[in-house]
Amino acid sequence: MTRQHLLAIIVLLFLAAAVAGAQPTRFAVIGDFGWTGTPESDVAALVHGWSPEFIVTTGDNNYDHGSALTIDANIGQYYHDFISPYTGTYGAGAAENRFFPCLGNHDWEATNAQAYLDYFTLPGIERYYDFVRGPVHFYSLDVDPHEPNGIDTASVQASWLKAHLGSDPEVWKIVYMHHSPFSSCSRHGSYPVLQWPYARWGASAVFSGHDHTYERIHHDGIPYFVNGLGGKSLYPFGTAVAGSQVRYNANYGAMLVDALTDSIVFQFITRAGVTVDRTVLYRKDTSEVSLTDSWNLLSLPMGGAKRPVGEIFPGATSAPFVFRDNDFQIVDSLEPGVGFWLKFPGAAVAHVAGDSLHSLSVPVQRGWNIIGGLPLPFPAAGAITSPPDILTTPFYGYRGLYEAADTLAPGAGYWVRASADGLLIMTLPAAQK
């Protein structure tokens, strides 16, 4: 290490910069809520306190009979500022629609669900539809037996969903409906006719209501959420279904969801502000990176386009520092093969999503460089250069102190010195690809 390099490290340890933070797509999920009264009012206040971008519902928006005479009091009174166009009497509507319900059996009690269809302006045929917000594609289903296009796996509606899930490009695909494919509640329970192969078709998660409980069930590798505590009443549980992880029915509440391209966080929170459940999904093709307190010498173990540091490492307390042209530079986005320093307030594990890399060609400059490796451990001796033999030092990693590395670990950064400008080339053996 040169004296200049050591002085630069000392300066680095005293620098902190604002993180280029990525903002998640935030939305709320409410279910079985449309009954004027204190519980619905409390849940609505909870939801408004989160400042979500939009709301989706798991049905039964308008008790008891889906009537045009009650729909504005049951919905608009509490959520008019999310609805567009809003034609009710409780205040101003939204500039654009931010309320995306699905039909429940009580909404269908009105002939042809006409009050619901007249009150809302929704995409497509409105009974079932899809829309996209940020990295999430949503699919609202109508699973009531009145649905003209059917509700079983051979139906027109199921074919529509299967085609979309198989071709839509978004990272997260959320299906939501009223009746629950799986439920441990003793009131309604599971509906086998709705146990479509959502995961195999490409869904990330499934929401439902109908039972006035909260439950998280894992089936076929994805979570199913029963979310029916929006304000009407509370139901008892019966025998737990296979895969049931969390069951709750003691108070009303709603779900808060925050979605980034790399992860999506689901929470159920009661009207008293108690978090009953929290679970996180990580994007497929994800690599774990272990982080230590304070400064870490890192790299991206996965490929893809350049991304803001706040999207990849949301817990960081500094901007990333790379070493270029014999000096440290702050950057606002990261790319594979380039090592960087990043500071954290404590030990953690980051999940970095992206494309699997089988090879890397990393530009190096004459002098010191910080480089990164591949998604799998790679032997340092296997790295070659063009022109040949321009590396003049071992690879030095940092975990509180510097050590020469025999193996380049995924997500770690390494100092290495070159005698000339060139390329550092790493390629996984065929058996590891």
Side-chain angles (χ1 to χ4, degrees), residues 59-138:
D60 278 359
N61 309 273
N62 180 22
Y63 286 98
D64 264 336
H65 305 294
S67 169
L69 298 176
T70 58
I71 195 167
D72 197 33
N74 284 338
I75 304 171
Q77 180 177 183
Y78 305 101
Y79 298 106
H80 58 85
D81 51 327
F82 284 87
I83 300 171
S84 180
Y86 175 63
T87 57
T89 62
Y90 287 95
E96 62 174 328
N97 189 53
R98 301 190 294 135
F99 197 87
F100 297 95
C102 73
L103 279 159
N105 56 292
H106 284 274
D107 304 304
W108 265 108
E109 287 200 19
T111 303
N112 298 321
Q114 201 60 52
Y116 171 98
L117 295 173
D118 290 343
Y119 192 75
F120 295 112
T121 300
L122 300 169
I125 66 170
E126 297 189 299
R127 299 190 312 276
Y128 58 89
Y129 59 91
D130 69 303
F131 67 98
V132 177
R133 290 293 184 276
V136 190
H137 203 128
F138 295 86

Side-chain angles (χ1 to χ4, degrees), residues 81-240:
D81 51 327
F82 284 87
I83 300 171
S84 180
Y86 175 63
T87 57
T89 62
Y90 287 95
E96 62 174 328
N97 189 53
R98 301 190 294 135
F99 197 87
F100 297 95
C102 73
L103 279 159
N105 56 292
H106 284 274
D107 304 304
W108 265 108
E109 287 200 19
T111 303
N112 298 321
Q114 201 60 52
Y116 171 98
L117 295 173
D118 290 343
Y119 192 75
F120 295 112
T121 300
L122 300 169
I125 66 170
E126 297 189 299
R127 299 190 312 276
Y128 58 89
Y129 59 91
D130 69 303
F131 67 98
V132 177
R133 290 293 184 276
V136 190
H137 203 128
F138 295 86
Y139 309 86
S140 176
L141 302 186
D142 177 22
V143 295
D144 191 87
H146 291 90
E147 169 52 47
N149 286 339
I151 64 170
D152 63 21
T153 53
S155 67
V156 171
Q157 183 177 197
S159 296
W160 168 86
L161 178 66
K162 180 180 180 181
H164 269 286
L165 289 174
S167 61
D168 291 336
E170 286 71 30
V171 175
W172 307 112
K173 300 178 182 182
I174 292 180
V175 178
Y176 64 102
M177 66 196 78
H178 183 56
H179 298 68
S180 296
F182 302 97
S183 170
S184 300
C185 183
S186 60
R187 182 68 176 269
H188 295 301
S190 304
Y191 283 78
V193 69
L194 302 176
Q195 293 171 4
W196 305 355
Y198 303 102
R200 180 154 51 86
W201 290 352
S204 307
V206 177
F207 291 102
S208 63
H210 199 39
D211 279 324
H212 300 178
T213 61
Y214 172 78
E215 186 171 12
R216 172 161 55 88
I217 301 156
H218 285 230
H219 181 78
D220 284 348
I222 65 171
Y224 285 67
F225 299 95
V226 180
N227 180 18
L229 294 177
K232 179 58 168 72
S233 57
L234 308 175
Y235 286 176
F237 283 108
T239 302

Side-chain angles (χ1 to χ4, degrees), residues 268-358:
F268 182 83
I269 303 172
T270 73
R271 60 176 170 165
V274 177
T275 300
V276 170
D277 186 30
R278 183 182 187 274
T279 190
V280 185
L281 296 183
Y282 296 99
R283 180 177 156 188
K284 294 179 181 178
D285 297 328
T286 298
S287 179
E288 290 189 353
V289 178
S290 295
L291 307 170
T292 61
D293 183 28
S294 193
W295 290 98
N296 290 252
L297 186 55
L298 303 173
S299 66
L300 289 187
M302 308 296 286
K306 287 186 178 182
R307 289 175 286 168
V309 62
E311 181 178 310
I312 305 170
F313 298 104
T317 57
S318 78
F321 290 81
V322 300
F323 191 74
R324 290 175 180 157
D325 300 323
N326 207 34
D327 196 7
F328 287 100
Q329 301 175 18
I330 294 175
V331 295
D332 58 10
S333 60
L334 304 172
E335 58 186 313
V338 178
F340 53 90
W341 288 95
L342 197 58
K343 190 175 184 180
F344 292 86
V349 175
H351 294 78
V352 180
D355 302 323
S356 294
L357 295 169
H358 304 307

